[in-house]
């Protein structure tokens, strides 16, 4: 989820030819990778056994259901239904499509679509299902919910 901010930004940059903004993007991505890379290397160097176990354990969340957190591919869409009662996934999907269509700037359209699709596709494919994975999209769903009450 932390890298999700770079997805829409990178997609917008593909369409633009502004080299200054590409420098900002590259600098931001480089700073983030430097910070995270330093942290990962530091932990692996100081606590190699714990780091190896954590790396293995975290990767297992994608390939198998861990700690009893299981569900269907639609689990995160069902979370939307449970947390925002008047909304069903078949209402949320068209609402986001209409919101995207009515958005004036194409950059905002790319942001809305890529963020929602990437998060739901990635966590829908992961075998471990947890409510907290979907919470990053809750503000967006709360913005569209008043239109359906």
């Amino acid at each position: 989820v932390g890298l999700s901010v770079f997805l829409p930004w990178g997609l917008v940059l593909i369409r633009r030819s502004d080299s200054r903004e590409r420098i900002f993007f590259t600098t931001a991505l480089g700073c983030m990778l430097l910070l995270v890379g330093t942290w990962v290397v530091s932990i692996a160097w100081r606590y190699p056994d714990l780091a190896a176990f954590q790396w293995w354990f975290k990767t297992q969340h994608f390939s198998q259901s861990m700690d009893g957190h299981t569900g269907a591919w639609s689990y995160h869409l069902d979370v939307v239904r449970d947390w925002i009662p008047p909304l069903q996934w078949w209402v949320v999907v068209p609402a986001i499509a209409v919101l995207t269509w009515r958005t004036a700037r194409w950059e905002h359209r790319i942001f809305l679509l890529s963020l929602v699709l990437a998060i739901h596709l990635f966590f829908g494919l992961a075998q471990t299902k947890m409510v907290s994975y979907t919470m990053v999209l809750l503000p967006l769903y709360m913005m569209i919910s008043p239109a359906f009450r």
Side-chain angles (χ1 to χ4, degrees):
V1 175
L3 283 174
S4 64
V5 71
F6 291 101
L7 176 66
W9 192 7
L11 291 175
V12 167
L13 284 179
I14 289 172
R15 241 181 113 181
R16 287 189 180 166
S17 61
D18 184 13
S19 62
R20 185 173 174 211
E21 192 167 348
R22 289 180 186 202
I23 291 171
F24 289 144
F25 177 81
T26 306
T27 303
L29 185 61
C31 288
M32 187 273 310
L33 290 174
L34 180 65
L35 182 68
V36 171
T38 304
W39 176 76
V40 169
V41 169
S42 173
I43 296 299
W45 183 50
R46 291 181 184 180
Y47 311 103
D49 294 338
L50 182 61
F53 171 75
Q54 285 298 321
W55 186 264
W56 171 83
F57 185 70
K58 298 297 183 193
T59 57
Q60 293 302 309
H61 282 79
F62 196 79
S63 61
Q64 63 184 344
S65 177
M66 302 292 284
D67 301 325
H69 296 286
T70 187
W73 68 270
S74 63
Y75 175 83
H76 296 288
L77 296 172
D78 297 337
V79 167
V80 172
R81 180 196 64 219
D82 294 342
W83 281 57
I84 309 171
L87 297 182
Q88 299 290 325
W89 66 267
W90 49 268
V91 174
V92 170
V93 171
I96 290 175
V98 168
L99 179 66
T100 303
W101 179 70
R102 294 185 67 197
T103 301
R105 296 183 62 184
W106 64 271
E107 294 95 341
H108 298 164
R109 291 178 185 169
I110 289 174
F111 174 76
L112 286 170
L113 285 179
S114 64
L115 191 61
V116 170
L117 289 176
I119 289 175
H120 277 290
L121 284 175
F122 181 80
F123 290 119
L125 292 173
Q127 296 301 309
T128 300
K129 311 293 184 186
M130 295 179 69
V131 174
S132 60
Y133 295 161
T134 312
M135 290 298 100
V136 70
L137 295 174
L138 188 62
L140 175 64
Y141 296 147
M142 295 299 287
M143 286 179 3
I144 65 171
S145 69
F148 297 98
R149 289 186 186 219

